Amino acid sequence: MVRKKSSFILCGAFLFVAWNALLLLYLWGRPPMGHLGEGGGAEPGGKEEWGMVRGKGGQVNLAGEVIRLAEEVEIQLDTQKKLLKQIESHRAVWARQKEIGKKQTDNIKEVNQIVDQQQNNPVPLINDVYVGDQGEIKHTQRSVATVAAGSNIERHQATGVKEEVAEDKVTASVSGPQVIIPILVIACDRVTVKRSLDKLIQYRPSQELYPIIVSQDCGHAETARVIGSYGEKVTHISQPDLSDIRVRPEHRKFQGYYKIARHYRWALNQVFHTFSQSTVVIVEDDLEVAPDFFEYFRALYPILRSDPTLWCVSAWNDNGRDALVDSSKADLLYRTDFFPGLGWMLLKEMWDELEPKWPSAFWDDWMRQPEQRNGRSCIRPEISRTITFGRKGVSLGQFFDQYLRYIKLNTEFVPFTKLDLSYLLKEKYEEKFIKEVYSAPLVKIEDLQQGGSLRGPGPYRVQYSTRDSFKVFARNLGVMDDLKSGVPRTGYRGVVNFLYRGRRVFLAPPEGWSQYDTSWS
């Protein structure tokens, strides 16, 4: 096509030059002027010479003839000039058509690549992305195959990110844009998801760096309308498989847990495989976040990346009731062997490990099994960066009235990205932690409850040696007493760390602890 257009332009230019050459030859080389005949033709000897003006004495006026010839030449040149302008305008149109055609071809190739990648996966419904008339990417409701270059989660994915663990400080060295940390909201049939989304959008510092993906199961129309009302502020995807799951007769009452596990697996695959993200923070539709929620995860991302003994970062403290935490230490963070959930960060590499063996139900307890934890820990805060307001759910309010409704939400913004968080790396943390715990005075429960013989804010240590003694002490001190695969909630190396009547307390196993006993569950 380009070769044909170029030939046409050259041909036009050649005709222009040839026409003017022939015109000049014609004007200068024609025979002497004759007379106008009766039929209007030029005939020698006619009464009036064709185009020839005679002056006084019957002589030809040469000056007039030259002027007339010049005027004819000017008219012809003007005609050729118009022709060249038309050729030039057509050339600009061809160039624009070529550019648009190239963009459309590139987008078609990109869509085809995405379709090829999705052949073995269910096709979700997505609210955005289409190719405009000029080849640009715009947003509307489409299937995932139309997401040619990414919706609100546009491919601003950071490139060349590397983390450097310095001797005293961990920093994220970013050679390109900052890493994108998408927020995945797991939703079903609670219209109160609005409360969760309102706070996420209120505190979100950047839509580009923190795209919100709301993944909805259940097909609940009213909840879908609430999510849709946020427009391009969020990306709404819908889990396509709403069918019941075949389960054992005794598990029919747990159908909801099976559907939740199926939804989590599908939604995380969309984030990591469809949207090609490198990390994600998962929250559920009944969680409200703290003002520094995004700051918290931004600062801890390089720690999670750099320490292979970590596998998640959580915003939740299971023992985060107001009376059990130090409100003056909102910046205090811990390692924990217990998977907290309820607002947690996961890396793609970890999902690649977990996804092939993802359970059919009870995914959170499955995460707490030693086969999945594999000796790794999570980060958790002293004061929670999420709280739950959802008593309604598949757990029918389990723990909500007794514990969850009393969890304290942090209200003080902590600039975590400006703090040195390298103390959370295992080698530094463990040495200091063990020393602090086992150098604390060993006391009895009665000493803490009466308090008369104790001096100062602690820390103090209460020791347990059996499952039953742990549960008795935990109940008397007001902390959660359940264990999962032998691990107590918030525990690290078996130690549960909390405040009791304003004093720091370590509920700890004997010194020399080596591993959890899974029979304690």
Side-chain angles (χ1 to χ4, degrees):
M1 180 64 73
V2 175
R3 195 172 292 175
K4 288 182 178 180
K5 292 173 183 175
S6 299
S7 301
F8 185 77
I9 294 170
L10 291 172
C11 183
F14 174 77
L15 288 174
F16 171 72
V17 174
W19 174 264
N20 282 283
L22 289 173
L23 179 65
L24 290 173
L25 288 173
Y26 169 74
L27 291 174
W28 293 106
R30 63 184 180 179
M33 300 296 176
H35 301 281
L36 292 173
E38 291 179 1
E43 292 182 0
K47 294 180 180 178
E48 189 173 333
E49 292 179 330
W50 180 31
M52 192 69 74
V53 181
R54 294 183 180 274
K56 293 180 180 180
Q59 295 184 356
V60 176
N61 187 344
L62 291 177
E65 177 67 8
V66 170
I67 292 171
R68 187 185 63 79
L69 290 174
E71 289 174 349
E72 287 186 7
V73 170
E74 187 175 350
I75 292 171
Q76 294 300 325
L77 288 174
D78 187 61
T79 302
Q80 298 304 316
K81 184 178 180 181
K82 290 179 180 179
L83 178 62
L84 284 175
K85 285 183 177 180
Q86 289 179 356
I87 292 172
E88 187 65 28
S89 66
H90 283 297
R91 182 180 180 183
V93 171
W94 294 332
R96 284 197 300 270
Q97 289 176 344
K98 177 183 176 183
E99 183 178 354
I100 292 171
K102 185 176 183 301
K103 286 182 179 179
Q104 291 173 342
T105 301
D106 291 343
N107 280 309
I108 289 170
K109 288 180 180 178
E110 192 170 1
V111 171
N112 288 337
Q113 289 174 357
I114 292 174
V115 172
D116 290 341
Q117 293 171 0
Q118 293 298 311
Q119 284 179 347
N120 297 322
N121 293 326
V123 178
L125 297 177
I126 295 181
N127 282 350
D128 39 14
V129 180
Y130 66 96
V131 181
D133 294 336
Q134 300 299 319
E136 73 277 23
I137 301 299
K138 294 185 178 179
H139 303 271
T140 189
Q141 188 174 32
R142 306 229 162 215
S143 70
V144 72
T146 335
V147 186
S151 83
N152 292 333
I153 307 175
E154 299 165 354
R155 293 180 182 172
H156 300 308
Q157 185 68 41
T159 57
V161 178
K162 60 178 181 178
E163 287 73 34
E164 298 176 353
V165 184
E167 183 177 353
D168 296 316
K169 188 172 183 179
V170 177
T171 59
S173 178
V174 184
S175 61
Q178 286 183 290
V179 65
I180 293 174
I181 303 179
I183 311 300
L184 174 63
V185 180
I186 300 293
C188 180
D189 59 355
R190 284 191 278 227
V191 295
T192 51
V193 66
K194 184 178 189 302
R195 176 175 170 182
S196 179
L197 292 175
D198 284 347
K199 290 298 182 181
L200 283 168
I201 292 170
Q202 177 184 345
Y203 297 137
R204 177 172 62 175
S206 165
Q207 183 170 337
E208 290 71 29
L209 291 177
Y210 305 96
I212 298 171
I213 311 165
V214 185
S215 181
Q216 187 188 1
D217 200 1
C218 309
H220 191 248
E222 190 176 353
T223 302
R225 282 194 293 272
V226 171
I227 299 167
S229 69
Y230 289 89
E232 292 189 355
K233 294 178 182 178
V234 305
T235 296
H236 183 195
I237 62 177
S238 300
Q239 204 279 106
D241 185 1
L242 304 180
S243 63
D244 284 340
I245 299 171
R246 183 177 297 178
V247 300
R248 302 194 307 270
E250 62 270 24
H251 272 212
R252 285 173 184 164
K253 62 182 179 180
F254 300 130
Q255 181 74 211
Y257 289 99
Y258 281 84
K259 289 186 175 181
I260 288 172
R262 177 177 66 184
H263 185 195
Y264 262 83
R265 183 176 197 165
W266 180 86
L268 287 168
N269 275 330
Q270 301 313 305
V271 171
F272 290 124
H273 301 314
T274 301
F275 297 127
S276 301
Q277 298 298 316
S278 63
T279 187
V280 69
V281 175
I282 303 111
V283 299
E284 295 189 3
D285 56 358
D286 61 346
L287 290 183
E288 180 180 325
V289 303
D292 58 355
F293 175 85
F294 295 94
E295 174 80 359
Y296 174 79
F297 284 106
R298 171 67 61 185
L300 288 169
Y301 172 78
I303 298 289
L304 181 61
R305 272 280 177 211
S306 61
D307 189 344
T309 67
L310 292 172
W311 72 320
C312 87
V313 174
S314 174
W316 180 258
N317 178 0
D318 277 296
N319 290 315
R321 291 193 294 168
D322 201 356
L324 300 175
V325 298
D326 188 343
S327 298
S328 68
K329 294 185 178 179
D331 61 338
L332 191 56
L333 307 177
Y334 302 92
R335 293 175 70 102
T336 176
D337 296 326
F338 190 91
F339 171 73
L342 295 175
W344 55 288
M345 174 182 278
L346 176 72
L347 299 178
K348 181 181 183 300
E349 293 81 0
M350 186 55 62
W351 177 243
D352 290 341
E353 175 188 323
L354 297 174
E355 194 271 341
K357 54 180 181 177
W358 190 252
S360 56
F362 309 108
W363 69 270
D364 49 350
D365 283 343
W366 175 84
M367 290 278 285
R368 292 160 183 153
Q369 294 173 359
E371 294 81 7
Q372 281 62 253
R373 193 172 69 82
N374 199 22
R376 294 170 294 205
S377 304
C378 294
I379 301 295
R380 62 123 179 139
E382 169 78 0
I383 305 176
S384 287
R385 264 60 187 184
T386 57
I387 57 168
T388 177
F389 53 84
R391 190 179 187 281
K392 171 192 172 185
V394 294
S395 63
L396 302 178
Q398 181 185 19
F399 293 132
F400 184 83
D401 292 329
Q402 187 178 1
Y403 291 106
L404 303 182
R405 65 183 298 180
Y406 300 108
I407 298 295
K408 176 181 175 63
L409 180 67
N410 181 62
T411 57
E412 175 190 347
F413 185 93
V414 177
F416 283 111
T417 56
K418 294 179 172 60
L419 302 181
D420 179 4
L421 302 180
S422 64
Y423 69 89
L424 293 165
L425 297 172
K426 183 176 181 178
E427 291 185 2
K428 286 188 174 184
Y429 186 89
E430 198 155 290
E431 181 181 357
K432 181 180 178 182
F433 179 80
I434 292 172
K435 182 178 179 180
E436 184 178 15
V437 169
Y438 292 102
S439 64
L442 184 62
V443 299
K444 297 179 179 180
I445 286 281
E446 293 79 6
D447 297 329
L448 290 171
Q449 291 174 333
Q450 296 170 4
S453 61
L454 301 180
R455 296 291 181 267
Y460 297 100
R461 176 166 52 99
V462 174
Q463 185 168 295
Y464 70 90
S465 56
T466 66
R467 174 183 178 274
D468 290 340
S469 64
F470 170 80
K471 295 180 79 67
V472 169
F473 292 157
R475 287 170 187 164
N476 278 275
L477 294 169
V479 298
M480 296 187 76
D481 67 342
D482 61 322
L483 303 105
K484 303 290 185 180
S485 297
V487 183
R489 291 182 184 268
T490 75
Y492 185 71
R493 294 181 57 87
V495 179
V496 177
N497 182 350
F498 57 97
L499 283 190
Y500 182 77
R501 297 183 179 180
R503 294 183 171 96
R504 179 64 58 183
V505 175
F506 299 124
L507 181 55
E511 191 171 3
W513 177 96
S514 59
Q515 63 182 11
Y516 293 103
D517 186 344
T518 57
S519 68
W520 285 21
S521 297

